[in-house]
mmCIF file of all heavy atoms in Angstrom:
data_model
loop_
_atom_site.group_PDB
_atom_site.id
_atom_site.type_symbol
_atom_site.label_atom_id
_atom_site.label_comp_id
_atom_site.label_asym_id
_atom_site.label_seq_id
_atom_site.Cartn_x
_atom_site.Cartn_y
_atom_site.Cartn_z
ATOM 1 N N ARG A 325 8.834 -17.780 2.190
ATOM 2 C CA ARG A 325 9.639 -16.791 2.916
ATOM 3 C C ARG A 325 8.955 -16.415 4.238
ATOM 4 O O ARG A 325 9.631 -16.370 5.276
ATOM 5 C CB ARG A 325 9.811 -15.510 2.031
ATOM 6 C CG ARG A 325 10.514 -14.363 2.737
ATOM 7 C CD ARG A 325 10.668 -13.145 1.819
ATOM 8 N NE ARG A 325 9.367 -12.587 1.476
ATOM 9 C CZ ARG A 325 8.750 -11.661 2.223
ATOM 10 N NH1 ARG A 325 9.260 -11.214 3.329
ATOM 11 N NH2 ARG A 325 7.596 -11.191 1.823
ATOM 12 N N GLN A 326 7.659 -16.178 4.201
ATOM 13 C CA GLN A 326 6.958 -15.743 5.393
ATOM 14 C C GLN A 326 6.511 -16.900 6.266
ATOM 15 O O GLN A 326 6.101 -16.718 7.383
ATOM 16 C CB GLN A 326 5.718 -14.893 5.012
ATOM 17 C CG GLN A 326 6.051 -13.641 4.237
ATOM 18 C CD GLN A 326 4.795 -12.915 3.844
ATOM 19 O OE1 GLN A 326 4.202 -12.196 4.685
ATOM 20 N NE2 GLN A 326 4.375 -13.028 2.600
ATOM 21 N N LYS A 327 6.619 -18.111 5.659
ATOM 22 C CA LYS A 327 6.126 -19.325 6.320
ATOM 23 C C LYS A 327 4.665 -19.215 6.767
ATOM 24 O O LYS A 327 4.285 -19.551 7.897
ATOM 25 C CB LYS A 327 7.039 -19.721 7.523
ATOM 26 C CG LYS A 327 8.450 -20.025 7.108
ATOM 27 C CD LYS A 327 9.236 -20.576 8.267
ATOM 28 C CE LYS A 327 10.684 -20.867 7.855
ATOM 29 N NZ LYS A 327 10.800 -21.798 6.701
ATOM 30 N N LYS A 328 3.888 -18.663 5.858
ATOM 31 C CA LYS A 328 2.442 -18.550 6.152
ATOM 32 C C LYS A 328 1.714 -18.404 4.800
ATOM 33 O O LYS A 328 2.322 -18.216 3.750
ATOM 34 C CB LYS A 328 2.140 -17.370 7.019
ATOM 35 C CG LYS A 328 2.368 -16.005 6.364
ATOM 36 C CD LYS A 328 1.978 -14.885 7.297
ATOM 37 C CE LYS A 328 2.075 -13.519 6.617
ATOM 38 N NZ LYS A 328 1.655 -12.406 7.493
ATOM 39 N N TYR A 329 0.397 -18.537 4.869
ATOM 40 C CA TYR A 329 -0.467 -18.408 3.678
ATOM 41 C C TYR A 329 -0.939 -16.935 3.570
ATOM 42 O O TYR A 329 -1.091 -16.262 4.583
ATOM 43 C CB TYR A 329 -1.668 -19.365 3.743
ATOM 44 C CG TYR A 329 -1.308 -20.795 3.545
ATOM 45 C CD1 TYR A 329 -0.865 -21.580 4.594
ATOM 46 C CD2 TYR A 329 -1.433 -21.389 2.287
ATOM 47 C CE1 TYR A 329 -0.532 -22.928 4.410
ATOM 48 C CE2 TYR A 329 -1.116 -22.729 2.100
ATOM 49 C CZ TYR A 329 -0.683 -23.469 3.168
ATOM 50 O OH TYR A 329 -0.364 -24.801 2.979
ATOM 51 N N PHE A 330 -1.143 -16.488 2.343
ATOM 52 C CA PHE A 330 -1.723 -15.169 2.139
ATOM 53 C C PHE A 330 -2.720 -15.192 1.029
ATOM 54 O O PHE A 330 -2.666 -16.064 0.116
ATOM 55 C CB PHE A 330 -0.600 -14.126 1.841
ATOM 56 C CG PHE A 330 0.122 -14.343 0.530
ATOM 57 C CD1 PHE A 330 -0.284 -13.645 -0.615
ATOM 58 C CD2 PHE A 330 1.158 -15.255 0.453
ATOM 59 C CE1 PHE A 330 0.363 -13.838 -1.807
ATOM 60 C CE2 PHE A 330 1.829 -15.410 -0.794
ATOM 61 C CZ PHE A 330 1.417 -14.744 -1.915
ATOM 62 N N GLU A 331 -3.646 -14.247 1.057
ATOM 63 C CA GLU A 331 -4.753 -14.295 0.099
ATOM 64 C C GLU A 331 -4.336 -14.003 -1.331
ATOM 65 O O GLU A 331 -3.597 -13.043 -1.588
ATOM 66 C CB GLU A 331 -5.811 -13.225 0.523
ATOM 67 C CG GLU A 331 -7.022 -13.166 -0.414
ATOM 68 C CD GLU A 331 -7.897 -11.959 -0.156
ATOM 69 O OE1 GLU A 331 -7.876 -11.443 0.981
ATOM 70 O OE2 GLU A 331 -8.562 -11.557 -1.099
ATOM 71 N N VAL A 332 -4.804 -14.868 -2.232
ATOM 72 C CA VAL A 332 -4.574 -14.627 -3.662
ATOM 73 C C VAL A 332 -5.881 -14.607 -4.408
ATOM 74 O O VAL A 332 -5.902 -14.375 -5.626
ATOM 75 C CB VAL A 332 -3.670 -15.705 -4.257
ATOM 76 C CG1 VAL A 332 -2.233 -15.530 -3.757
ATOM 77 C CG2 VAL A 332 -4.143 -17.147 -3.955
ATOM 78 N N GLY A 333 -6.980 -14.880 -3.760
ATOM 79 C CA GLY A 333 -8.280 -14.841 -4.432
ATOM 80 C C GLY A 333 -9.424 -14.889 -3.442
ATOM 81 O O GLY A 333 -9.208 -15.402 -2.295
ATOM 82 N N SER A 334 -10.575 -14.376 -3.816
ATOM 83 C CA SER A 334 -11.736 -14.385 -2.938
ATOM 84 C C SER A 334 -12.960 -14.714 -3.707
ATOM 85 O O SER A 334 -13.256 -14.138 -4.743
ATOM 86 C CB SER A 334 -11.875 -12.977 -2.277
ATOM 87 O OG SER A 334 -12.946 -12.990 -1.357
ATOM 88 N N CYS A 335 -13.692 -15.729 -3.178
ATOM 89 C CA CYS A 335 -14.951 -16.195 -3.808
ATOM 90 C C CYS A 335 -16.118 -15.782 -2.969
ATOM 91 O O CYS A 335 -16.107 -16.067 -1.758
ATOM 92 C CB CYS A 335 -14.869 -17.701 -4.000
ATOM 93 S SG CYS A 335 -16.352 -18.419 -4.821
ATOM 94 N N SER A 336 -17.129 -15.184 -3.591
ATOM 95 C CA SER A 336 -18.286 -14.688 -2.809
ATOM 96 C C SER A 336 -19.591 -15.084 -3.427
ATOM 97 O O SER A 336 -19.775 -15.037 -4.642
ATOM 98 C CB SER A 336 -18.211 -13.159 -2.692
ATOM 99 O OG SER A 336 -17.037 -12.717 -2.036
#
Side-chain angles (χ1 to χ4, degrees):
R325 175 179 64 90
Q326 301 178 77
K327 298 189 181 304
K328 69 177 185 179
Y329 288 84
F330 67 95
E331 181 192 334
V332 289
S334 182
C335 181
S336 299

